[in-house]
Amino acid sequence: MPLRGELAELPLMDLLQILLLNKKSGVLIVEREHLSVEEEVGDRGELFLRSGQVKFIYLKRGKQLAEILSAMGYPLPPAHEREAPEINLLVEILESDNPLRVEVARHAKRLTEERMGELLRWKNGKFIFKEMEVPAALDLVEVDSLELLVQGARYIDEWEMVSSKLSSFEVVPTYPDSLPDGPLSFSPSEWRVLASVDGVRSVREIADQFPESTFEVAKAIVSLVEKGVLRVEERQTTPKDVFPVVHRLLLSAWERLEMEEFDQAEDLATQALALDPTLSVAHLFLAEVYYAQGKYKEAARRYMEAMRRDPSLSPRVNYHLACALVMSGDFEIAMGILEEAMANGGHPRAAELKSLLEKTLSMLKEKDKSFEE
């Protein structure tokens, strides 16, 4: 029988703690009515839990995953033709071999963090929890549920301060005509925000560059406004579509790779990397292109660069790196990489490749021994 009730009697924070402690899997649906015109949050939220961990949150209003995917250049049907729920779209991408899925998971994590803070502000409404199987692919959205609740509680406490300075996350930070006199000091996050302000991008668009949530970036902007080094304006014009260029190039490169047009895929991936050399997924994709071309040493170098820029990729990429090293004849190094992959619970075929490599090395040693004799 589904668990149901009223938020006025069982607040969302308490309800989530119960579900987390009991390691529940399913979807928690929260609904409320009679929203004020000023509120940005939606009137329906869906929280997907897997073994007691929040994996993704859908919110009816506000920025949607489809908008982010469209900006990344991901092909989507027109809005009026989309029938699948947002969660289905996310799972479909995460279960695919699309090289953008890691980037999509990062955006899904950010959306989940923002939406949790907004949902925790709801004091009234109804809820129902339905136990169900939640796809394992959502594990790619690496959300720490306890940290999520802590951030959400802090979001509530600090929201009034932020909302008094920013009418929404869509306002545009820009520089004032004159700066205040006297010395100023900034935190590292404030310096990064200052370097990203261009008078065109909104608070939300600036936050998309950083690992922190939009709310944390908004707090840094509020601090800079209070120090007199920034001011905010309502958006007057639509910003130029610059950021999505990299993702469109990678998507086109993926299509070329699927068609086995390797030279074109390499050219497009190289262009994407030139625009954003820090993007780990671009290095990873170029490694895949090189591997398909038989350029195994170049592929190995790109795999290593991708992991250097994003260490969280290592458990999944070590196996592919080992394959490239084997194909280039670097057997001993490949063996070490495979042992590391197995120790960290990496690719399921790592043990199989290690066994084959051990047999190959043994045969080579026997051959060398007989040759010496």
Side-chain angles (χ1 to χ4, degrees):
M1 182 177 178
L3 173 66
R4 64 177 74 227
E6 299 280 344
L7 291 178
E9 298 173 359
L10 183 58
L12 183 58
M13 177 73 79
D14 296 340
L15 175 58
L16 283 172
Q17 289 177 349
I18 293 171
L19 296 174
L20 267 57
L21 287 172
N22 287 279
K23 299 186 181 301
K24 292 292 186 179
S25 294
V27 57
L28 174 62
I29 301 172
V30 186
E31 294 182 328
R32 68 171 183 173
E33 299 176 352
H34 310 301
L35 293 181
S36 64
V37 176
E38 292 80 11
E39 288 184 290
E40 292 185 358
V41 293
D43 56 0
R44 178 185 174 94
E46 298 176 3
L47 299 86
F48 295 86
L49 293 90
R50 175 175 156 82
S51 301
Q53 294 293 314
V54 177
K55 291 299 177 183
F56 183 65
I57 296 176
Y58 161 76
L59 203 57
K60 184 176 180 180
R61 298 188 186 183
K63 191 164 189 176
Q64 301 296 300
L65 181 63
E67 296 176 50
I68 297 172
L69 294 175
S70 179
M72 291 172 62
Y74 193 90
L76 292 171
H80 67 278
E81 294 180 9
R82 295 179 205 150
E83 297 180 357
E86 188 176 60
I87 186 67
N88 291 5
L89 177 61
L90 176 60
V91 170
E92 178 185 337
I93 295 170
L94 297 182
E95 288 181 341
S96 73
D97 293 328
N98 194 307
L100 295 181
R101 68 184 186 280
V102 175
E103 191 75 2
V104 171
R106 185 178 71 83
H107 284 292
K109 177 183 178 181
R110 181 187 296 279
L111 280 176
T112 296
E113 291 170 344
E114 292 178 14
R115 290 168 173 178
M116 175 61 83
E118 295 176 349
L119 281 172
L120 287 175
R121 294 169 56 209
W122 293 14
K123 303 302 180 186
N124 296 293
K126 299 178 180 180
F127 68 81
I128 180 171
F129 178 72
K130 300 177 181 179
E131 291 198 57
M132 57 179 281
E133 193 74 24
V134 174
L138 288 177
D139 289 342
L140 279 174
V141 185
E142 298 174 344
V143 176
D144 185 318
S145 295
L146 291 178
E147 183 180 343
L148 191 65
L149 291 177
V150 171
Q151 286 180 351
R154 192 169 68 245
Y155 182 105
I156 297 172
D157 294 337
E158 298 174 343
W159 174 253
E160 286 190 14
M161 179 273 291
V162 171
S163 60
S164 67
K165 300 290 184 180
L166 306 179
S167 59
S168 76
F169 291 151
E170 306 310 322
V171 295
V172 177
T174 188
Y175 293 102
D177 296 330
S178 60
L179 295 174
D181 297 327
L184 292 169
S185 62
F186 305 114
S187 68
S189 61
E190 289 172 346
W191 276 116
R192 284 190 296 158
V193 167
L194 280 172
S196 301
V197 169
D198 58 8
V200 176
R201 288 179 294 185
S202 68
V203 172
R204 191 186 299 277
E205 289 164 340
I206 290 173
D208 282 343
Q209 304 172 86
F210 304 126
E212 297 90 345
S213 69
T214 302
F215 185 69
E216 291 299 320
V217 174
K219 285 199 309 181
I221 290 173
V222 166
S223 175
L224 292 168
V225 169
E226 291 175 339
K227 291 176 180 178
V229 295
L230 284 183
R231 60 187 174 89
V232 293
E233 300 175 344
E234 296 296 329
R235 168 165 281 165
Q236 301 298 321
T237 58
T238 303
K240 292 183 179 179
D241 196 15
V242 176
F243 174 70
V245 171
V246 173
H247 297 89
R248 289 201 181 98
L249 285 169
L250 288 176
L251 187 64
S252 298
W254 173 258
E255 292 171 349
R256 295 294 183 181
L257 183 60
E258 289 283 282
M259 297 166 64
E260 298 187 358
E261 296 177 357
F262 301 130
D263 291 341
Q264 294 91 329
E266 179 184 353
D267 182 58
L268 289 164
T270 303
Q271 290 180 49
L273 202 56
L275 289 171
D276 188 354
T278 67
L279 193 61
S280 58
V281 70
H283 289 279
L284 184 58
F285 184 83
L286 194 53
E288 294 289 322
V289 174
Y290 283 146
Y291 192 94
Q293 291 175 305
K295 300 177 181 178
Y296 301 117
K297 287 189 179 294
E298 290 90 337
R301 281 195 288 269
R302 288 298 174 183
Y303 282 132
M304 288 188 282
E305 182 64 17
M307 291 188 290
R308 186 184 73 81
R309 293 182 179 278
D310 185 358
S312 68
L313 293 173
S314 296
R316 297 185 292 273
V317 175
N318 269 335
Y319 171 78
H320 300 282
L321 170 59
C323 289
L325 290 169
V326 168
M327 295 302 292
S328 61
D330 296 318
F331 299 136
E332 297 290 348
I333 300 175
M335 182 65 76
I337 295 294
L338 286 169
E339 289 173 352
E340 181 181 346
M342 292 172 63
N344 295 325
H347 198 283
R349 296 189 63 187
E352 179 185 346
L353 180 59
K354 182 174 180 289
S355 176
L356 289 172
L357 186 54
E358 286 173 342
K359 292 177 182 178
T360 302
L361 287 172
S362 177
M363 290 172 61
L364 288 173
K365 288 178 181 177
E366 287 295 325
K367 187 175 181 180
D368 289 343
K369 185 177 179 181
S370 63
F371 180 77
E372 290 173 359
E373 292 175 352

